[in-house]
């Protein structure tokens, strides 16, 4: 019953669908950590149980080998006693011959008993061999699942760390985005732009004032020329009047 329970648990764990379990988990990483711990504990228990089962099998095999060796030993003793009986019979000593024949019979009886004991345990040994092989296979499958779990867990942790790092980089870049008007850099740029605009305005204003001054000078020059020509006209008219009076 215990062996069947161990085998059933190993088979159940070996067939577990890791992806399906993760799909149902609220926190896959914690679930994987827990599954790794559970698998590790179950593997340790299974290894102990399998080792005990193998140990029991080896004891049965040792007992079987001992029975087979006893059967061979009693067979040899029966043969030796039978030959000794034949020697005494050939020598005309039937009493000793019968004595050794009886010893041979006892040896044969014990040989048969040892052989029966060896044969009786053989089905159990065969069954235990089959159980041990299944347990070994299941244990190897569990170890394979544990490796898969550990790889999944490491992959998930690496992906989570990468995502976290990307988020941090994204947040850092966003905080220094020069196009963001709420950032310090954006406000400083806006201040510079306003100052540049003020300078351009002042330059335009200065340029307009200078043009007006030049225009004033041009108007003044034209007026001066008009006054000069008027004076010349008047001067010319006076000279003409004096000449005509003479």
């Amino acid at each position: 019953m215990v062996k069947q329970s161990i085998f059933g648990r190993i088979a159940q764990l070996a067939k577990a669908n890791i992806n399906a379990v993760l799909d149902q988990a609220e926190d896959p990483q914690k679930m994987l950590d827990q599954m790794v711990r559970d698998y590790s504990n179950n593997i340790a228990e299974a290894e102990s149980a399998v080792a005990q089962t193998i140990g029991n099998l080896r004891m049965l095999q040792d007992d079987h080998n001992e029975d087979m060796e006893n059967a061979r030993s009693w067979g040899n003793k029966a043969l030796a006693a039978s030959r000794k009986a034949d020697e005494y019979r050939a020598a005309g000593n039937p009493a000793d011959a019968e004595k050794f024949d009886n010893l041979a019979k006892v040896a044969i009886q014990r040989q048969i008993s040892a052989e029966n004991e060896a044969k009786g345990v053989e089905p159990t040994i065969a069954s235990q061999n089959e159980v041990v092989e299944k347990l070994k296979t299941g244990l190897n499958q569990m170890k394979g699942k544990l490796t898969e779990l550990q790889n999944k867990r490491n992959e998930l942790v690496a992906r989570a760390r990468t995502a976290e790092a990307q988020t941090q980089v994204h947040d850092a870049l966003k905080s220094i985005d020069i196009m963001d008007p709420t950032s310090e850099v954006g406000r400083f740029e806006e201040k510079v732009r306003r100052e540049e605009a003020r300078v351009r305005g002042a330059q335009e204003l200065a340029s307009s004032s200078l043009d007006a001054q030049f225009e004033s000078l041009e108007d003044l020059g034209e007026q001066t020329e008009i006054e000069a020509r008027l004076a010349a006209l008047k001067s010319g008219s006076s000279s003409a009047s004096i000449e005509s009076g003479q």
Side-chain angles (χ1 to χ4, degrees):
M1 181 64 69
V2 175
K3 295 172 185 175
Q4 290 298 326
S5 176
I6 294 171
F7 178 73
R9 183 171 58 180
I10 290 176
Q12 182 179 5
L13 290 172
K15 292 178 181 178
N17 189 328
I18 296 174
N19 292 325
V21 174
L22 293 180
D23 289 341
Q24 299 175 359
E26 294 182 2
D27 190 334
Q29 182 175 339
K30 288 184 179 179
M31 175 63 73
L32 280 173
D33 289 340
Q34 185 61 47
M35 289 179 70
V36 168
R37 287 191 293 269
D38 291 343
Y39 262 70
S40 298
N41 292 335
N42 282 312
I43 286 175
E45 292 178 8
E47 284 180 334
S48 177
V50 172
Q52 182 179 354
T53 304
I54 293 174
N56 293 337
L57 172 60
R58 298 297 176 249
M59 288 179 62
L60 288 174
Q61 290 174 332
D62 289 342
D63 291 341
H64 177 267
N65 292 334
E66 184 178 353
D67 289 336
M68 293 298 294
E69 181 61 31
N70 288 336
R72 284 190 293 270
S73 177
W74 285 114
N76 292 333
K77 290 178 179 179
L79 178 60
S82 176
R83 287 177 177 175
K84 194 68 175 178
D86 292 341
E87 291 178 3
Y88 279 117
R89 190 170 286 107
N93 191 345
D96 288 336
E98 184 177 358
K99 176 182 176 182
F100 277 94
D101 277 339
N102 289 333
L103 288 176
K105 290 177 183 180
V106 171
I108 291 173
Q109 185 178 4
R110 293 189 179 182
Q111 178 189 19
I112 292 172
S113 177
E115 289 175 348
N116 288 337
E117 288 183 10
K119 289 179 180 179
V121 78
E122 286 176 357
T124 303
I125 291 176
S127 175
Q128 288 294 90
N129 267 319
E130 184 178 354
V131 170
V132 165
E133 290 304 315
K134 288 182 178 180
L135 289 174
K136 285 181 178 179
T137 300
L139 188 58
N140 289 333
Q141 289 176 345
M142 283 182 65
K143 290 179 179 180
K145 284 290 183 179
L146 177 60
T147 300
E148 182 181 350
L149 272 172
Q150 290 170 334
N151 292 337
K152 284 273 188 181
R153 189 263 180 198
N154 294 338
E155 177 188 355
L156 185 61
V157 170
R159 287 170 58 188
R161 288 177 179 173
T162 299
E164 182 180 359
Q166 289 176 340
T167 300
Q168 292 175 350
V169 170
H170 175 73
D171 291 343
L173 290 175
K174 185 177 179 180
S175 67
I176 61 172
D177 186 2
I178 61 175
M179 300 302 294
D180 185 359
T182 62
S183 68
E184 293 298 327
V185 176
R187 285 194 291 270
F188 179 71
E189 182 184 20
E190 185 64 23
K191 181 179 179 181
V192 171
R193 289 180 61 200
R194 286 197 298 269
E195 181 64 21
E196 291 173 344
R198 188 193 65 77
V199 171
R200 287 200 303 269
Q203 289 175 343
E204 289 182 10
L205 181 61
S207 177
S208 298
S209 177
L210 186 62
D211 289 342
Q213 292 178 15
F214 276 110
E215 288 176 0
S216 298
L217 288 175
E218 290 176 358
D219 292 341
L220 180 61
E222 183 178 354
Q223 187 65 33
T224 301
E225 184 178 354
I226 292 172
E227 293 293 337
R229 289 191 181 191
L230 179 59
L233 286 174
K234 290 184 177 183
S235 176
S237 297
S238 298
S239 296
S241 297
I242 294 173
E243 289 178 358
S244 62
Q246 292 178 350

